[in-house]
């Protein structure tokens, strides 16, 4: 055989770009065709090799002695004999021909190997998951477990670091697999329940199969372990987002959140923002951590962690760190001993380990109660809005961050124009480039002037629809007052218009007609009733006839008088 064997168009660990692979007696190397960092592997690190069908042809999977895996994809079928001789003669390793199951079944058996998790269907591997690609795992249900894959920056992918860093293949393509879930029913025991009989009352001795899978995966993938010892630990810290209580373990390059159901390990590199926000109740303080990529809990993403501490809760803490590291790597960043309020200690340690700038509310704005947080709501979610030096921040849920640079305009408006809404108002923040808008509702009217002055101080475009409505309302009220005053002046001169004239004419007619008629009728009735029985009918005949005619005329006219009077 030649001293060197070359292969072109080979992809390393699912890299986007192909390169040239070279095998030699002392090891192998790969270099991208477009230039860049080369990858090398010593012959002493090669513990085994497998040949199988892959995405771009055929793949050689090299199992390293330190539990790492290197994948070389893009070989042709006729390269098998040539590669088998290379591994046998130079590396004393047999190139094993491994066939995958192509049935497409989604049920099988999971096996934990030295370097990867294999899912077998009918005793053939369907797919493999290297432990180096697993960033986290959680119990997502009673019999369900979620396996999350690392997502790093594109520039850190392509596998040039071998197995030293997690997520070396995660950003190889535009579309990425970020989570996989396994349904594992039934129960099992470890070492036959340690000698105990599995009866109906032995639920505590038995262990769910999903729990055993979870514990084994954490151990194999080293999810619960990090490089180095724990520098500081904070127990039972209340988190508002995501909701729950988590223990915080802080390491040299990452921190870990341990809860009853979920367990997360987050790199300090993922921290993009760190804010200390005093709560308006003057009893609590919130720490808000912005993450990119966001924290994932099932289908929900949390771009911000919101912790809450009691402002007067103090703690005494000694860091688990050597004097050499304290005076060298962390000089001026950390102290060996802390005796301060708990939220301040957590802040200082995050700042020292993560090397992140701490943001606080702007000093140029306070509410009418001399506080930094404005009580308001986003839709049905109540929370607090903080005006920072360079952005808005709403907490706790949904945690919303809007920088002033992304803001096109800020509009003050009244809630629905109702009279009861005069004590509150809304703020609508319109974003640039059509990125949408956010509305903060039910803000106390007494904070309007201070907010408007602060936004103008930050150079934001402000539109106050409340003052415009107030001006229009005042103008309308002035017009109404003028109209009513004119009516009061004109009224007395016209004696209240024609209505008064009609009323007086009716009264005059009633008095003129009713007085004379009633008196005449009364007199005639009085005379007829008061006449004696001794008067002769002859003497009164003419008078009676006249009176009867008058009475008949009066009876005929009476209904007319009533109608007129009515």
């Amino acid at each position: 055989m030649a001293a060197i064997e070359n292969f072109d168009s080979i992809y390393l660990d699912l890299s986007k770009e192909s390169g040239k692979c070279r095998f030699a007696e002392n090891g192998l190397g790969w270099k991208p065709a477009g230039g860049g960092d080369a990858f090398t592997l010593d012959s002493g690190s090669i513990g085994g090799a497998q040949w199988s069908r892959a995405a771009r042809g055929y793949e050689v999977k090299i199992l390293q002695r330190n539990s790492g895996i290197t994948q070389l994809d893009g070989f042709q079928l006729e390269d098998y004999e040539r590669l088998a001789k290379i591994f046998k003669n130079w590396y004393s390793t047999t190139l094993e021909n491994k066939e995958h199951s192509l049935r497409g079944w989604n049920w099988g058996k999971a096996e934990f190997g030295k370097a990867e998790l294999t899912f077998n269907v009918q005793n053939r591997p369907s797919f493999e998951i290297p432990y180096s690609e697993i960033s986290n795992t959680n119990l997502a249900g009673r019999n369900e477990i979620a396996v999350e894959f690392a997502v790093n920056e594109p520039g850190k992918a392509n596998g040039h670091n071998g197995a030293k860093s997690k997520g070396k293949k995660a950003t190889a393509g535009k579309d990425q697999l970020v989570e996989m879930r396994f349904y594992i029913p039934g129960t099992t025991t470890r070492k036959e329940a340690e000698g105990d009989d599995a009866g109906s009352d032995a639920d505590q001795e038995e262990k769910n199969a999903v729990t055993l899978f979870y514990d084994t995966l954490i151990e194999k993938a080293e999810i619960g372990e990090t490089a180095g010892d724990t520098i500081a630990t904070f127990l039972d810290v209340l988190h508002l987002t995501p909701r729950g209580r988590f223990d915080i373990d802080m390491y040299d390059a990452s921190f870990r959140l341990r809860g009853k159901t979920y367990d997360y390990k987050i790199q300090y590199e993922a921290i993009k923002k760190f804010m200390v926000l005093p709560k308006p109740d003057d009893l609590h303080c919130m720490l808000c951590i912005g993450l990119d990529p966001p924290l994932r809990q099932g289908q929900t993403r949390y771009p911000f962690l919101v912790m809450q501490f009691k402002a007067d809760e103090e703690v005494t803490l000694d860091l688990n760190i050597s004097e050499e590291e304290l005076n060298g790597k962390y000089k001026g960043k950390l102290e060996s001993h802390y005796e301060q309020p708990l939220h301040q200690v957590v802040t200082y340690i995050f700042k020292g380990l993560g090397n992140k700038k701490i943001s606080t509310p702007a000093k140029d704005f306070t509410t009418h109660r001399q506080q930094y947080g404005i009580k308001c709501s986003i839709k049905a979610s109540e929370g607090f809005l903080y005006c920072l030096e360079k952005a808005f921040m709403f907490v706790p849920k949904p945690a919303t961050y809007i920088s002033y640079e992304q803001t096109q305009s800020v509009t003050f408006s009244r809630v629905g124009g109702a009279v009861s809404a005069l004590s509150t108002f809304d703020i609508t923040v319109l974003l640039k480039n059509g990125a949408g808008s956010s509305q903060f509702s039910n803000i106390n009217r007494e904070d309007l002037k201070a907010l408007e002055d602060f936004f103008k101080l930050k150079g934001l475009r402000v539109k106050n629809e409340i003052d415009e409505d107030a001006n229009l309302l005042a103008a309308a009220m002035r017009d109404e007052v003028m109209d009513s005053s004119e009516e009061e002046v004109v009224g007395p001169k016209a004696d209240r218009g024609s209505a008064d004239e009609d009323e007086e004419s009716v009264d005059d007619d009633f008095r003129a007609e009713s007085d004379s008629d009633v008196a005449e009728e009364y007199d005639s009735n009085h005379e007829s009733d008061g006449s004696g029985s001794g008067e002769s009918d002859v003497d009164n005949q003419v008078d009676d006839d006249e009176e009867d005619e008058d009475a008949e005329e009066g009876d005929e006219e009476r209904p007319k008088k009533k109608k007129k009077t009515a």
Side-chain angles (χ1 to χ4, degrees), residues 257-321:
L257 300 179
R258 291 184 290 109
K260 293 182 178 179
T261 304
Y262 293 95
D263 195 326
Y264 304 99
K265 188 173 68 174
I266 304 170
Q267 302 291 327
Y268 293 129
E269 296 178 354
I271 299 178
K272 305 304 178 184
K273 304 175 184 65
F274 194 97
M275 292 161 279
V276 179
L277 308 174
K279 210 169 182 180
D281 59 5
D282 296 330
L283 299 176
H284 299 87
C285 186
M286 293 180 288
L287 302 186
C288 187
I289 302 176
L291 301 177
D292 188 19
L295 189 69
R296 300 181 71 254
Q297 192 176 95
Q299 300 297 328
T300 308
R301 294 189 177 189
Y302 295 97
F304 290 92
L305 297 177
V306 182
M307 311 175 189
Q308 179 173 293
F309 300 88
K310 292 183 179 179
D312 57 352
E313 183 179 358
E314 295 193 358
V315 65
T316 301
L317 179 67
D318 292 322
L319 297 185
N320 183 22
I321 191 172

Side-chain angles (χ1 to χ4, degrees), residues 12-225:
L12 174 66
D13 293 333
L14 304 179
S15 59
K16 296 179 181 179
E17 185 180 3
S18 64
K20 189 173 184 178
C21 185
R22 178 176 295 178
F23 292 87
E25 190 173 356
N26 59 348
L28 61 92
W30 178 88
K31 188 174 183 179
D37 297 335
F39 168 78
T40 59
L41 184 65
D42 295 335
S43 59
S45 300
I46 299 176
Q50 296 176 354
W51 170 272
S52 61
R53 189 68 184 266
R56 296 184 173 93
Y58 289 85
E59 174 191 81
V60 174
K61 181 186 295 185
I62 300 175
L63 307 178
Q64 302 178 22
R65 298 186 184 276
N66 61 354
S67 300
I69 292 179
T70 301
Q71 293 172 279
L72 297 170
D73 191 5
F75 294 101
Q76 303 300 319
L77 180 60
E78 54 270 18
D79 295 334
Y80 175 73
E81 297 294 337
R82 185 178 167 192
L83 287 167
K85 293 180 180 179
I86 291 174
F87 280 92
K88 182 178 180 180
N89 298 334
W90 286 348
Y91 311 135
S92 302
T93 301
T94 302
L95 183 60
E96 182 183 358
N97 190 350
K98 200 164 189 178
E99 296 183 4
H100 283 77
S101 175
L102 304 178
R103 288 185 175 272
W105 293 358
N106 65 340
W107 67 92
K109 183 178 181 181
E111 294 184 357
F112 292 93
K114 184 178 180 181
E116 60 187 3
L117 170 64
T118 304
F119 187 80
N120 294 324
V121 176
Q122 288 189 333
N123 298 324
R124 287 187 179 183
S126 179
F127 59 87
E128 301 91 355
I129 304 176
Y131 297 139
S132 59
E133 293 300 309
I134 300 176
S135 64
N136 193 28
T137 180
N138 289 298
L139 293 171
R142 182 177 180 182
N143 298 107
E144 191 173 3
I145 185 171
V147 180
E148 299 179 12
F149 302 107
V151 180
N152 292 338
E153 299 178 5
K156 298 182 180 180
N158 299 342
H160 297 167
N161 296 329
K164 294 182 180 180
S165 62
K166 285 183 176 289
K168 60 184 179 180
K169 311 165 192 172
T171 56
K174 184 176 181 180
D175 296 326
Q176 306 169 26
L177 179 64
V178 297
E179 183 182 271
M180 180 181 293
R181 293 199 176 194
F182 294 97
Y183 177 75
I184 308 174
T187 59
T188 186
T189 57
R190 185 184 295 271
K191 295 182 180 179
E192 296 295 328
E194 297 180 352
D196 295 333
D197 295 331
S200 58
D201 298 332
D203 294 338
Q204 295 183 357
E205 287 78 18
E206 285 189 347
K207 198 168 188 179
N208 290 335
V210 66
T211 305
L212 181 59
F213 185 96
Y214 171 76
D215 295 338
T216 306
L217 185 59
I218 286 181
E219 181 181 353
K220 292 287 185 179
E222 298 181 353
I223 296 173
E225 300 177 4

